[in-house]
Amino acid sequence: MSKLKHTVKEVLALADIKVGGDRRWDVHVHNDEFYRRAVSDGSLGLGESYMDGWWDVECLDEFIFRLIRANLHEKVSKLKLLPVVKATVLNLQSKSRAFEVGQAHYDLGNDLFEQMLDARMVYSCGYWREAANLDEAQEAKLDLVCRKVGLRAGMRVLDIGCGWGGFAKYAAERYGVEVVGITISKQQADFAKRLCWDLPIEIRLQDFRNLDEQFDRIISLGMFEHVGHKNHRRYMQVARHCLREDGLFLLQCIGDNVTTVATDPWISKYIFPNGDLASAAQITRAIEGLFIVEDLHNFGADYDKTLMAWFANFDQGWHQLKAQYGERFYRMWKYYLLSCAGLFRARHIQLWQIVLSPRGQIGGYVRVC
């Protein structure tokens, strides 16, 4: 064990992290088995040992930021072969599996997400350019989306991955459009139906592959991460089939800097089953011959602020949730939110808004941000 301990300390020192140090990103180990687990199980062991209370750090987000910024994930990678083989051979996001992430994540409980998210219940990156708080950042994002696709009264809009109905409600109220929203989460669908009952909005519990109708505009905010590389092309074909010739499609998604076929094993096991972040190369291959890229906007640094705001809300309201969810869930959810904040802060992953058109806008697309 002493040799493992020494090795882990040396590796952490490459990121200017000390075991037992007094800085906010230094690690405090409570169980020496942490060293074996971190080495043998990589990111899965790191996350699980945190959930088990084997180690702590004052600022988990800053700890992860330093690990990633120092490229320690590349220098001491412990990624097992099995996740790669599974993702390559199997379609982990097939129709039969499409609802798994809804049941495992989005159906955890509306009480959890109501406590964590903004007043509109928007579960995707906010736009913080002129925002002072989470509510303002999410409203700014929603309005930015509406302006980017040129919403006008009377248009029919498809919202793929509508969540709890935040975008649909905003677009219908502010821009006078009709919206069809689809989700793979029963709790989201039930909530959104109640939220939007008096507006020209239809909420469906439906997989995107079952869509077969026409829309003036298509929006998808934070859903593409669940589509999977084996289904990227099918997703774009469905979107193209459903979009009118003069329409626009705005895709907002988390993007990976490199092309991979397997997600982080801890995230996949505990947070987003079958998740799969697309690279820019994968997206462009999927849209080739179907869409023209009119605009690409990266504001990934804003996800750091969004995740930190979500954690602050979650942490502040934990006393209302702890009886139902328990202490291990608290550590798991904290690790999820703050480690992701660190990843975005290190620019290891990105947040893209991509505006697509079927044939290109005559005269060119006018950017609004």
Side-chain angles (χ1 to χ4, degrees), residues 161-177:
C162 65
W164 290 271
F167 170 79
K169 188 173 191 293
Y170 182 88
E173 289 179 336
R174 299 292 181 90
Y175 286 84
V177 299

Side-chain angles (χ1 to χ4, degrees), residues 106 108-123 134-135 164 187 191 194-195 309-310 313-314 317 320-321 325 333:
Y106 298 105
L108 277 170
N110 286 340
D111 57 343
L112 168 65
F113 293 104
E114 284 180 278
Q115 181 60 54
M116 184 180 86
L117 303 178
D118 65 300
R120 295 182 182 277
M121 292 279 283
V122 178
Y123 196 18
L134 182 61
D135 284 347
W164 290 271
Q187 289 207 31
F191 185 99
R194 293 193 301 270
L195 180 72
W310 286 345
N313 287 346
F314 168 71
Q320 300 179 50
L321 302 168
Y325 292 92
W333 209 252

Side-chain angles (χ1 to χ4, degrees), residues 151-157 168 171-173 175-179 200-201:
L151 286 193
R152 299 189 305 274
M155 284 184 170
R156 190 164 188 256
V157 180
E173 289 179 336
Y175 286 84
V177 299
E178 299 178 14
V179 184
I201 296 170

Side-chain angles (χ1 to χ4, degrees), residues 42-54:
S43 65
L44 180 62
L46 188 69
E48 287 185 333
S49 60
Y50 182 82
M51 291 166 61
D52 291 339
W54 289 10

Side-chain angles (χ1 to χ4, degrees), residues 96-252:
S96 62
R97 295 172 175 262
F99 289 80
E100 288 182 4
V101 68
Q103 296 164 358
H105 186 88
Y106 298 105
D107 287 345
L108 277 170
N110 286 340
D111 57 343
L112 168 65
F113 293 104
E114 284 180 278
Q115 181 60 54
M116 184 180 86
L117 303 178
D118 65 300
R120 295 182 182 277
M121 292 279 283
V122 178
Y123 196 18
S124 55
C125 183
Y127 188 53
W128 290 82
R129 186 174 182 178
E130 298 178 356
N133 55 56
L134 182 61
D135 284 347
E136 291 181 7
Q138 293 295 12
E139 182 161 333
K141 187 269 298 296
L142 296 181
D143 200 62
L144 179 65
V145 170
C146 293
R147 290 185 291 116
K148 279 186 174 182
V149 297
L151 286 193
R152 299 189 305 274
M155 284 184 170
R156 190 164 188 256
V157 180
L158 172 64
D159 183 0
I160 305 178
C162 65
W164 290 271
F167 170 79
K169 188 173 191 293
Y170 182 88
E173 289 179 336
R174 299 292 181 90
Y175 286 84
V177 299
E178 299 178 14
V179 184
V180 172
I182 66 168
T183 176
I184 43 76
S185 163
K186 186 178 185 302
Q187 289 207 31
Q188 283 185 339
D190 291 344
F191 185 99
K193 287 176 182 178
R194 293 193 301 270
L195 180 72
C196 305
W197 70 271
D198 59 343
L199 293 166
I201 296 170
E202 180 186 358
I203 302 296
R204 305 173 185 168
L205 190 65
Q206 180 179 359
D207 182 69
F208 74 90
R209 281 160 284 216
N210 293 326
L211 289 164
D212 185 17
E213 54 202 286
Q214 289 281 288
F215 297 89
D216 299 295
R217 299 290 188 268
I218 299 178
I219 307 296
S220 186
L221 307 176
M223 176 271 180
F224 195 64
E225 297 85 342
H226 304 307
V227 170
H229 65 279
K230 286 185 173 291
N231 307 299
H232 287 165
R233 183 66 176 180
R234 178 62 179 148
Y235 177 89
M236 294 300 178
Q237 288 170 337
V238 170
R240 177 63 190 88
H241 175 71
C242 291
L243 186 62
R244 299 189 192 281
E245 283 292 309
D246 60 349
L248 289 173
F249 170 28
L250 186 142
L251 175 70
Q252 177 175 307

Side-chain angles (χ1 to χ4, degrees), residues 45 62 71 84 131 138 149 188 215 240-241 276 283 318 352:
E62 190 67 14
N71 290 323
V84 178
Q138 293 295 12
V149 297
Q188 283 185 339
F215 297 89
R240 177 63 190 88
H241 175 71
D276 185 6
I283 293 174
W318 174 244
W352 297 319

